[in-house]
Amino acid sequence: MDDTTSELTDRFERYCSTTKSGNELPPEILGELQTLLRLYSISPEELDFKWQAYNMKMGGEDNTLDLKTARDFRKNLHDALERESRSKASARSDTKRAAPTPRAGGKNAGHVFDMLDGLVPNTPRPGALNGVNGSTVKRKSNFQTPAGKASKNHEMSSPGGVFTPKTDINGVFDFASRDHIGDITEQLNGHIPLPEAPDEPPAEARIKLKANTDMSKFSYKTMAMKLSEASEVLDDRVDEFRQLIQEHLGLEDSDFGNPSYQSPSEIIVVGRIASDSSEGKLNTASLVLEGSRRWGSGRRVPLKLDGLTSYNFFPGQIVALRGTNATGDFFTVSESISLPLLAPAASKPEEFDVYNSRYLDTPESDPSNARPLTILIASGPYTTDQNLDFAPLHTLLDNAASSYADAVVLVGPFLDAEHPLIRAGDFDIPPHMTNPDQATMTDLFRHYISSALQSLAQRVPTCNIILVPSLRDAHHRHGAFPQDKYVKKELGLGAAGKMVQCVTNPMTLSMNEFMLAMSSLDVLDMLRREELVHGNARAVNIYERGARNVIEQRSFLPLFPPTARETLPNVAPVEAKPFKSVKSEKSTATDGEEAVADDDQAPSPFLPLGTMLDTSFLKLGEILNVRPDVLITPSVLQGCIKVVESVLVINPGTLSKRRAAGTYARMVIQPASVTDEEREKGVRVAHKLWERARVDIVRI
């Protein structure tokens, strides 16, 4: 089996329900995938991304890969390429025909295209497709693959079958009739059994929370960033890593140098990866190293990477490189030095004994038969783009109540500012809650979210509920990263507020002995879009690469600058179109087909919110002191579980998609065991949570 076949098998076997012995793909499916690689000259990794994008466009990630779906996928790629080619050809043609050559006879004389007017019916004039000289209306072809719009006309829209989520007659996704309820898409330590729900709820909460982040520092004023402060923060970060590397490797100051100075001597440089272009993706031609003002004169020097067989770079990454600058024009890299990692989290044996006693439901429970902890983790959005019923959230909380979960971690957004109904203000609030004319987003949160949390707190009074904000929360007044917590007293939680903890974004806290780090930023998707990968680094899974970068850089947002809004996927459009032109409404196409205006096919004028970053407070977004035991990195990418450098990395996915149900993570943690030898030594013992925790990615 060659490398390409092996990589295709590793990446696509999880999508295929009928794999052969040895987890080999069926030959007909493998042949289709290999044909796509040859036709479009792409790598298996890029083909995997296109398949995931195709799944999301078709309404969910529960599609199975068989021969029919593989051919539909190939047809979709082919049609997309044809549309792109036609648009480029049209643009070139419009440029050439912008000013036709005038004919003799003065300004009133017609040009050559006017000779056809009236002779050939419905002959399109130059620029008719873009509205330059003719109608802005084009025919709707009934043989095209459906465009990537959020809506479908009906359940039998092509391609049909298992791809299309169930809808009612009005084209609205029916959450109650969804398929694959409770299916596990990915699992870690499946040999650990799920605990049975107790007959009675525990006498007290079995998880003790302790904040490891100073949340008081997050209440800063946004939109007040000074360039001088921001530059100092960026500069200090480079110098801090240089000091860490020097102490870790035992180097002298003379071993380091300025990469922008011409010298034949080999030196070690520490700096930030950047691009010399403000647009476009990072590539080897635009790659530069930005040094600090103290050790690099604050200059940027181009990098030559011919001496490296494998590398993984992205904008904002702090790197340590060994090489020379013999010409003064560029720095030739001979080696990329690994950054030192934070120490793993550990506890003393007597601390384990205290926390293991909390696993007992009652003081009379048998210590040898302690019930493991159950923690549910979910990320927003918590409802589809078609309504505000928050059915996925209610279902998740019902699951938490039935299993007597010990903690529920809910990561925003809750009231998504990119939701079509919220963006348009098309929602109702019961009159008994507030005056409809004076309703605010906070009232909407109380009605939909707070009421659901109160219900869970009543059913399971010992369940800790943790709310993590998002930059897309429409009701939150703090809209920059690092982000302050919700104002708890405004949420109207009532008696349930005792077990609800509002934390910052990002946040690091201790649950009993283990440490949990989390942020609502989709850093995995941003790293995937911005990274430059070469050589053996491509063989590493995309999720593992992203998680490793977060851990090595000791930051919840290692990219700088973050991914631009313009490059993110378009937000769902608002259905209402009150400004549709009269001409478009009255225009018709030939053969009795319905006319479709060009503005209907245009992208949404609303850009995604993106990542609003306050660089002056970027230090609050760093991971300090020790490596966490669990790192929660929600992403629109498929939910996954990875163990990277003894850190359990969990991407729960999103609980709801635009028109489909999503996934959440379920974590079951067994008590820690300490050997007699470890007790005799009396030193701290690593938690090793990845060995005693079962994690499932579950479909809601």
Side-chain angles (χ1 to χ4, degrees):
M1 182 182 297
D2 56 13
D3 294 340
T4 303
T5 303
S6 177
E7 187 172 357
L8 283 174
T9 302
D10 292 341
R11 291 184 176 277
F12 286 88
E13 63 180 355
R14 55 179 174 171
Y15 307 122
C16 185
S17 59
T18 58
T19 54
K20 288 191 169 186
S21 60
N23 293 330
E24 294 183 3
L25 292 175
E28 61 273 10
I29 297 179
L30 184 61
E32 289 288 339
L33 299 177
Q34 291 174 336
T35 301
L36 291 175
L37 296 183
R38 291 193 302 269
L39 285 177
Y40 302 109
S41 300
I42 57 179
S43 64
E45 180 183 34
E46 188 174 354
L47 186 63
D48 188 9
F49 295 153
K50 292 183 180 294
W51 169 257
Q52 294 187 31
Y54 176 72
N55 278 349
M56 287 188 286
K57 185 180 76 172
M58 301 315 297
E61 296 176 351
D62 55 349
N63 304 337
T64 57
L65 180 61
D66 52 26
L67 184 59
K68 178 182 180 303
T69 58
R71 289 175 176 173
D72 290 339
F73 176 49
R74 183 178 67 175
K75 184 178 184 301
N76 180 270
L77 291 182
H78 178 71
D79 292 342
L81 183 63
E82 280 193 346
R83 288 195 297 270
E84 183 179 355
S85 301
R86 286 197 299 267
S87 63
K88 291 182 179 179
S90 176
R92 290 194 298 267
S93 176
D94 295 340
T95 303
K96 294 179 181 179
R97 294 183 293 199
T101 304
R103 302 294 177 182
K107 64 181 180 179
N108 295 327
H111 53 74
V112 65
F113 298 109
D114 291 333
M115 297 172 59
L116 301 178
D117 289 350
L119 300 179
V120 181
N122 297 319
T123 302
R125 298 178 56 168
L129 292 181
N130 57 10
V132 176
N133 296 318
S135 171
T136 61
V137 178
K138 62 181 179 181
R139 295 173 54 183
K140 180 191 291 183
S141 302
N142 58 3
F143 50 79
Q144 291 183 345
T145 300
K149 301 178 72 174
S151 61
K152 292 183 179 293
N153 292 333
H154 50 78
E155 186 173 3
M156 299 305 294
S157 297
S158 176
V162 298
F163 289 119
T164 308
K166 292 185 180 297
T167 56
D168 61 19
I169 193 171
N170 296 321
V172 178
F173 170 68
D174 186 7
F175 180 80
S177 61
R178 66 197 184 281
D179 296 327
H180 309 290
I181 300 175
D183 287 359
I184 297 175
T185 63
E186 191 162 344
Q187 187 178 77
L188 176 70
N189 294 333
H191 63 277
I192 298 178
L194 294 176
E196 296 183 0
D199 297 334
E200 297 180 0
E204 60 181 12
R206 302 198 301 160
I207 290 181
K208 181 180 180 180
L209 300 178
K210 178 184 177 182
N212 296 326
T213 299
D214 188 356
M215 293 190 287
S216 62
K217 296 181 179 180
F218 286 76
S219 57
Y220 61 88
K221 295 182 179 179
T222 58
M223 302 179 67
M225 182 174 62
K226 297 180 180 179
L227 292 180
S228 59
E229 294 178 355
S231 64
E232 289 178 1
V233 169
L234 296 175
D235 209 51
D236 291 343
R237 180 168 167 79
V238 176
D239 289 339
E240 288 174 3
F241 270 90
R242 180 200 167 279
Q243 185 68 25
L244 289 172
I245 293 170
Q246 183 175 1
E247 296 175 356
H248 179 69
L249 300 179
L251 302 174
E252 301 292 336
D253 288 345
S254 58
D255 296 326
F256 295 88
N258 191 329
S260 61
Y261 288 170
Q262 181 179 358
S263 173
S265 302
E266 189 176 62
I267 59 174
I268 297 176
V269 297
V270 179
R272 177 180 291 103
I273 294 295
S275 175
D276 64 357
S277 174
S278 60
E279 298 179 354
K281 187 178 179 181
L282 186 69
N283 54 64
T284 54
S286 63
L287 189 68
V288 295
L289 182 71
E290 179 182 272
S292 66
R293 282 174 287 190
R294 180 181 178 186
W295 295 96
S297 304
R299 297 179 180 176
R300 290 184 171 184
V301 56
L303 296 179
K304 189 174 183 180
L305 306 176
D306 297 342
L308 297 181
T309 58
S310 175
Y311 53 80
N312 177 23
F313 295 134
F314 57 88
Q317 180 183 14
I318 306 298
V319 295
L321 305 174
R322 189 191 303 272
T324 58
N325 187 351
T327 64
D329 297 328
F330 52 82
F331 186 81
T332 303
V333 182
S334 60
E335 180 188 0
S336 177
I337 302 175
S338 300
L339 302 180
L341 299 177
L342 288 167
S347 300
K348 295 181 178 180
E350 53 269 22
E351 294 176 341
F352 280 114
D353 296 337
V354 173
Y355 290 122
N356 286 348
S357 64
R358 301 184 68 92
Y359 283 71
L360 304 179
D361 292 326
T362 61
E364 295 77 19
S365 300
D366 183 8
S368 62
N369 192 24
R371 183 168 61 93
L373 299 177
T374 300
I375 301 175
L376 303 186
I377 305 169
S379 174
Y382 291 95
T383 186
T384 63
D385 283 350
Q386 299 170 313
N387 54 53
L388 291 174
D389 61 6
F390 289 88
L393 175 63
H394 290 283
T395 303
L396 173 71
L397 299 183
D398 288 340
N399 294 342
S402 61
S403 62
Y404 283 94
D406 298 285
V408 177
V409 180
L410 301 178
V411 183
F414 293 91
L415 299 183
D416 191 358
E418 295 180 1
H419 193 288
L421 299 182
I422 293 179
R423 198 168 71 235
D426 186 12
F427 54 83
D428 297 322
I429 296 181
H432 70 274
M433 296 194 63
T434 184
N435 186 346
D437 296 333
Q438 300 177 356
T440 64
M441 289 296 173
T442 303
D443 297 322
L444 195 67
F445 186 96
R446 293 174 179 174
H447 176 57
Y448 287 112
I449 309 299
S450 297
S451 58
L453 300 181
Q454 289 174 344
S455 176
L456 174 62
Q458 291 176 355
R459 289 182 286 178
V460 188
T462 59
C463 179
N464 288 281
I465 304 173
I466 301 171
L467 304 183
V468 184
S470 168
L471 299 180
R472 287 162 49 183
D473 276 316
H475 71 285
H476 196 20
R477 62 187 181 186
H478 198 286
F481 183 88
Q483 189 177 23
D484 197 10
K485 62 182 182 295
Y486 299 138
V487 181
K488 191 173 180 179
K489 62 181 181 180
E490 296 180 357
L491 303 183
L493 296 170
K498 180 181 179 181
M499 299 304 296
V500 177
Q501 305 299 329
C502 298
V503 300
T504 57
N505 174 29
M507 181 64 189
T508 303
L509 56 83
S510 294
M511 288 186 170
N512 290 351
E513 80 281 1
F514 62 91
M515 185 178 296
L516 187 74
M518 50 197 166
S519 172
S520 60
L521 291 182
D522 191 351
V523 66
L524 293 181
D525 186 55
M526 286 192 283
L527 286 170
R528 177 185 70 85
R529 294 174 181 273
E530 304 293 339
E531 68 178 356
L532 173 63
V533 190
H534 175 72
N536 296 333
R538 284 187 172 274
V540 181
N541 184 276
I542 177 64
Y543 302 107
E544 185 176 345
R545 279 205 310 265
R548 188 178 301 275
N549 286 325
V550 172
I551 296 170
E552 287 185 350
Q553 296 292 306
R554 308 183 182 192
S555 174
F556 290 95
L557 181 61
L559 289 98
F560 185 84
T563 302
R565 302 170 60 192
E566 294 78 9
T567 61
L568 297 175
N570 290 333
V571 299
V574 177
E575 295 297 333
K577 297 181 180 179
F579 301 109
K580 191 172 182 180
S581 63
V582 177
K583 184 177 182 180
S584 298
E585 293 176 353
K586 295 182 178 180
S587 300
T588 56
T590 58
D591 301 330
E593 295 183 358
E594 180 186 359
V596 180
D598 276 357
D599 55 356
D600 290 345
Q601 304 294 333
S604 170
F606 299 98
L607 290 175
L609 294 181
T611 304
M612 290 71 73
L613 177 64
D614 197 314
T615 312
S616 301
F617 294 88
L618 197 57
K619 188 73 176 178
L620 298 176
E622 295 183 0
I623 303 175
L624 304 175
N625 303 325
V626 295
R627 269 178 284 164
D629 296 294
V630 181
L631 177 62
I632 300 176
T633 58
S635 175
V636 295
L637 302 177
Q638 184 177 8
C640 67
I641 313 157
K642 298 294 177 184
V643 179
V644 182
E645 300 293 349
S646 75
V647 179
L648 186 57
V649 183
I650 302 176
N651 167 26
T654 57
L655 193 66
S656 176
K657 303 183 184 301
R658 287 189 174 181
R659 297 208 173 188
T663 58
Y664 66 95
R666 177 179 59 209
M667 183 164 58
V668 176
I669 303 174
Q670 293 182 327
S673 59
V674 183
T675 63
D676 295 336
E677 182 181 357
E678 292 171 338
R679 291 184 183 277
E680 292 177 359
K681 291 181 179 180
V683 297
R684 291 183 175 272
V685 181
H687 297 158
K688 297 182 180 180
L689 193 69
W690 75 91
E691 294 181 350
R692 54 189 176 94
R694 167 177 172 167
V695 185
D696 303 321
I697 304 297
V698 187
R699 298 187 188 276
I700 188 64

